[in-house]
Amino acid sequence: MAKKTTVNVENPNGWKVSADHWNVKSLYNKDKRGYIDFDSHVQRGDVWDIPRRSLYIHSLLSGMLAYNIPYLYSKDGNIYHCIDGKQRGTALIEYIDNRYPLKGILGEKVYCEEKEEWVEINNKKFSQLEQEFQEKIFDFSLSVAIIESTTDEPVPDEVEAEFFKRANAGKPVSKADIAMSTSKCADAIKEIIGNATYDIKGKPVAGENFFMDAYGEKRFKAGTLPKEIVLKAYYMLYPEKLGGENQNAAYFSFAKLSQISKDALISDDEKQRLIDIFNTIFNARQKCFNAKKEGVKQTIRRATGKNIMLAYIPSVDKFKDAEQLGEWWLYCLSDISEELEGLIKEGTSSLIKANRRQEIIDNSINDFLKNYDKICPKFKDMGIDIRIGEDDQLKFDEEEHE
């Protein structure tokens, strides 16, 4: 049960603020009843990845959140609009809903009083935790600050933005400003590439990271090829950052792009878009293992090779899911034209050839999506059945990808 409110201050400009405490179960129940809005005008999207969410859950269970930053809400009627605390709140709620297992905290055990021993919680969903740990999460007390209007009008946006500014010790932030929350380009690239699960010896686990699985552990650890792919993918998505809408990042050398991006900043929204795209490619790759189509291994190699992948990355958002992306791979990339084959081998020898390769891929995707409903009935006969069955792991050797 929530503790009694301890602070209540009224401002003459038409709002008041109170400090309170909710336990996690109270937050969870309010959300399930539709009383929590995590998408208020000052909020960004879901930025925390699973390892960061997992660290927050581990911190709670291990006692490292004895002092926790208050959650900040603006109340309008029965609805609490989240001003600060979305990443923490959704991490808790979605974990309780078994939406993700804990990742990236291998070896970070938590002491279980009932068992009188330290317990490994990595890779466990909420329902797989010991009862003691589930109860500890539900009972954990959250500091909450609530802004309410003292007039017939909602709390003004500028008041909410000012509270957000002071909670984050920065300038006033609007929805547009939040979207531009940034990190250094090099740091963002490392985060995108490094979202892998490691075993107890520090070795990346197969099936947990696209770059490690597609290009091998040696290249994953060396980092050069993954960095080149992510950096070029970024500028393929945002060519205007190279000075013009028609710029083709695939043509630029890695060294030149590295110099251009030396002092560049990537917004959290841009970083999340890249993470989502590579996750989609990773999942499409896994789903294609279900296909019985002859030559599937070669097709997947081609689809995740640097030159073709960079050409279709700007269009990944057009596919409705990873399965549809995989279907395009198997339908359109299994038997490519001699022209495209030659352009792939040419690499980045000329801007004209890079643009022509891009044009062929764009046309292929657009035609495939336009005629998708007509093509679907042919999939089964062609062995394109990636929407059924269990995923099978396909081990790749460390070949050159171009």
Side-chain angles (χ1 to χ4, degrees):
M1 184 175 292
K3 297 179 181 180
K4 184 177 180 180
T5 300
T6 56
V7 178
N8 196 323
V9 178
E10 188 165 333
N11 187 284
N13 293 321
W15 54 267
K16 64 180 181 179
V17 61
S18 58
D20 205 349
H21 290 84
W22 300 345
N23 58 27
V24 172
K25 188 171 185 178
S26 176
L27 173 69
Y28 181 81
N29 288 338
K30 283 182 172 65
D31 179 71
K32 293 307 170 186
R33 292 169 184 161
Y35 296 156
I36 303 290
D37 169 26
F38 281 114
D39 296 312
S40 68
H41 70 100
V42 297
Q43 277 299 341
R44 51 186 167 174
D46 294 323
V47 174
W48 282 12
D49 57 15
I50 290 178
R52 190 169 179 182
R53 289 178 162 207
S54 300
L55 186 61
Y56 181 69
I57 301 296
H58 176 269
S59 298
L60 186 159
L61 290 172
S62 62
M64 297 180 73
L65 293 184
Y67 167 74
N68 62 91
I69 300 170
Y71 287 65
L72 179 61
Y73 294 95
S74 176
K75 188 178 181 185
D76 183 12
N78 291 325
I79 305 300
Y80 295 86
H81 302 281
C82 184
I83 305 301
D84 192 48
K86 172 178 178 175
Q87 308 305 322
R88 290 169 284 155
T90 54
L92 287 166
I93 290 167
E94 292 183 13
Y95 184 61
I96 292 170
D97 281 340
N98 289 312
R99 297 278 296 278
Y100 64 94
L102 299 178
K103 293 285 186 181
I105 52 172
L106 191 67
E108 297 289 342
K109 297 182 179 181
V110 178
Y111 188 74
C112 179
E113 293 184 5
E114 183 179 349
K115 292 184 176 181
E116 297 184 343
E117 64 181 21
W118 292 90
V119 176
E120 178 69 66
I121 61 173
N122 197 52
N123 288 323
K124 287 186 178 180
K125 293 186 177 182
F126 180 80
S127 61
Q128 297 170 320
L129 290 178
E130 284 71 8
Q131 184 68 27
E132 175 184 322
F133 294 160
Q134 293 182 17
E135 292 175 357
K136 189 171 185 177
I137 291 175
F138 273 131
D139 293 341
F140 186 77
S141 180
L142 305 170
S143 299
V144 179
I146 302 169
I147 315 165
E148 295 180 78
S149 174
T150 56
T151 70
D152 293 334
E153 299 296 323
V155 176
D157 289 351
E158 58 269 22
V159 172
E160 294 178 345
E162 181 65 17
F163 267 89
F164 184 91
K165 176 194 76 172
R166 300 194 181 204
N168 290 274
K171 64 180 183 179
V173 184
S174 66
K175 187 173 183 179
D177 293 327
I178 285 295
M180 292 307 295
S181 178
T182 59
S183 55
K184 288 184 178 180
C185 186
D187 293 337
I189 288 174
K190 287 180 182 178
E191 183 178 341
I192 293 165
I193 295 171
N195 187 23
T197 296
Y198 296 83
D199 64 20
I200 198 166
K201 295 181 180 179
K203 182 178 179 180
V205 178
E208 295 289 349
N209 180 280
F210 165 73
F211 298 98
M212 203 276 284
D213 273 18
Y215 306 114
E217 182 183 351
K218 184 177 179 180
R219 286 186 170 187
F220 174 73
K221 285 188 172 180
T224 303
L225 181 61
K227 287 178 183 176
E228 178 183 0
I229 289 172
V230 174
L231 185 59
K232 288 188 174 183
Y234 173 67
Y235 285 111
M236 290 297 291
L237 290 171
Y238 304 101
E240 66 277 6
K241 294 180 183 290
L242 289 174
E245 291 288 346
N246 296 321
Q247 296 282 12
N248 190 327
Y251 172 66
F252 285 72
S253 70
F254 179 41
K256 184 173 183 179
L257 283 181
S258 296
Q259 185 62 35
I260 291 172
S261 65
K262 185 176 180 181
D263 298 316
L265 297 175
I266 293 181
S267 77
D268 285 341
D269 282 359
E270 291 168 346
K271 179 171 64 179
Q272 188 60 47
R273 186 184 179 194
L274 280 164
I275 290 172
D276 291 343
I277 283 173
F278 282 112
N279 281 340
T280 298
I281 294 172
F282 175 81
N283 289 329
R285 181 177 178 276
Q286 301 298 90
K287 293 292 184 181
C288 280
F289 298 158
N290 292 332
K292 301 173 183 177
K293 187 174 174 61
E294 183 179 352
V296 63
K297 182 176 178 180
Q298 180 183 357
T299 300
I300 294 174
R301 283 188 184 283
R302 181 178 287 150
T304 54
K306 180 178 65 178
N307 290 329
I308 282 189
M309 186 166 63
L310 288 173
Y312 70 70
I313 272 178
S315 299
V316 169
D317 294 338
K318 295 180 180 180
F319 295 93
K320 66 180 181 180
D321 52 29
E323 285 87 349
Q324 191 177 51
L325 173 61
E327 287 166 345
W328 172 70
W329 290 359
L330 297 175
Y331 187 80
C332 296
L333 298 183
S334 295
D335 185 20
I336 62 176
S337 66
E338 290 185 7
E339 181 186 12
L340 181 57
E341 187 77 57
L343 290 169
I344 293 170
K345 292 179 179 178
E346 287 285 344
T348 56
S349 59
S350 77
L351 179 59
I352 292 175
K353 291 180 179 179
N355 286 339
R356 176 55 182 159
R357 184 175 62 219
Q358 183 72 49
E359 181 184 12
I360 293 173
I361 294 296
D362 287 344
N363 290 339
S364 173
I365 291 172
N366 291 334
D367 288 345
F368 175 80
L369 294 176
K370 181 179 179 180
N371 298 295
Y372 183 73
D373 290 339
K374 296 178 182 178
I375 296 172
C376 275
K378 304 176 183 178
F379 284 169
K380 188 173 182 180
D381 292 337
M382 297 181 67
I384 302 176
D385 53 356
I386 65 176
R387 292 181 181 271
I388 60 174
E390 296 294 327
D391 289 350
D392 297 314
Q393 286 295 318
L394 182 61
K395 304 300 181 183
F396 282 77
D397 54 9
E398 296 180 20
E399 291 185 1
E400 194 73 26
H401 284 256
E402 285 297 336

